[in-house]
Amino acid sequence: MKWIRVELHNHTIASDGDMLPHELVENAKVRKYKAIAVTDHNTTAQCQEVIDSGKEEGIVVIPGIEWTTFWGHIVVLGGHSDIDWRTITLSNIDEKIARAKELGDIVIVAHPKRLGTPFCSECRFLYDLKHWENVAGYEVWSHYSPFSKKESEIAKEEWGELLLKGNKIAAVYGYDWHTPDEDGPEYAYTYVGIEEDTISVDNILNAIRKGRTYISMGVEVNGSLKNRSGVYSPGDEIKRGKYNINLEAKVANDYAKKYDCEIKGVRMLINEKVIYAKRWHGDSVSIPITLLDKGIFRIEMYGTVEGKDGDVLVCSPYYIK
């Protein structure tokens, strides 16, 4: 499994962003993203220019759009769907998402718990979805300082509730990148695990569909969940029984140069209840664990960034059968 750094929520001058297509790519290269998505509001006008710039700089570019409606924002990645955002309503949203999925795109709910009108018009997600099984990702974190925001805490709680209902939804971070803001507040990363040697749009989208993601405040993790039968990755279905978890984690050097991030501990959850917590010392840990209950199992790390406490890593779950 190769974990790559990506940003799935970006804007250009085609909507309300300040960056030209080549500027978005150049800034993405500075931040060492292996792939980015173009998700302008209700338009794909700049997708091809960003794709062309990405090819020149060696960055994979995912064509996309952000459906921006009165009742919330939805990121749609892949560039396959033929849906006119103006036809989306409260009553047909499930049908529109199912259509996008059928045509080969993936759907991500954007900044679901951000303050809405009048502070951020239409930003809060108000749709009452009936078919969450068609949603591939959920922005557990978004925008600046996501690890310490109340809206992130509420979003993570709702994401957990959706998982407990049997939905398989990957955790993602959406920077909602509009301006270069190199001197801005802390931001996070989405890491996507691909099994192929080549980084491509299809490989990234398939990894998100499978739930091979984690989000972090610059923390990079290599790990494995093992038993006698094999090695498992986030998003996998696993049987109840005994496992061993091996984790290696550190703050990425480039992130550490910008922000003071420290890992303080690791915790593990079954069905959204903490079953294990341990202070973090050094760079690695090996933990035996017994999973007896059906449901979801996932890993988090907590710590500080710029002196503020919060989660510094949230991993998508394993599904215990």
Side-chain angles (χ1 to χ4, degrees), residues 27 33 41 43 52 84 105 134 196 205 239 242 252 275:
N27 286 311
Y33 294 121
H41 296 286
T43 180
D52 293 340
D84 184 339
D105 284 349
N134 292 323
E196 301 82 3
L205 296 184
K239 294 181 179 179
K242 294 183 178 180
I275 60 161

Side-chain angles (χ1 to χ4, degrees), residues 6 20 41 86 88 92 98 112 116 136-137 145 151 153 161 167 172 190 207 229 247-248 250 271 299:
V6 305
L20 293 164
H41 296 286
R86 291 169 294 187
I88 298 170
N92 70 13
S145 309
E151 66 188 53
E153 180 183 334
E161 291 171 354
N167 300 292
V172 299
T190 299
S229 300
L247 291 176
E248 297 178 358
K250 65 176 183 178
N271 294 330
I299 299 167

Side-chain angles (χ1 to χ4, degrees), residues 1-50:
M1 183 74 66
K2 176 167 61 177
W3 292 96
I4 61 170
R5 185 188 296 181
V6 305
E7 179 46 60
L8 304 173
H9 191 161
N10 306 285
H11 296 276
T12 72
I13 59 168
S15 56
D16 59 346
D18 294 336
M19 293 180 280
L20 293 164
H22 72 90
E23 291 174 328
L24 173 59
V25 171
E26 289 165 2
N27 286 311
K29 188 173 183 179
V30 169
R31 293 192 177 178
K32 301 186 185 302
Y33 294 121
K34 298 298 184 183
I36 59 172
V38 191
T39 56
D40 279 311
H41 296 286
N42 297 331
T43 180
T44 59
Q46 295 285 10
C47 281
Q48 191 57 52
E49 287 192 49
V50 182

Side-chain angles (χ1 to χ4, degrees), residues 83-96:
I83 295 165
D84 184 339
W85 66 273
R86 291 169 294 187
T87 66
I88 298 170
T89 67
L90 284 170
S91 59
N92 70 13
I93 184 62
D94 280 295
E95 173 189 332
K96 298 297 184 180

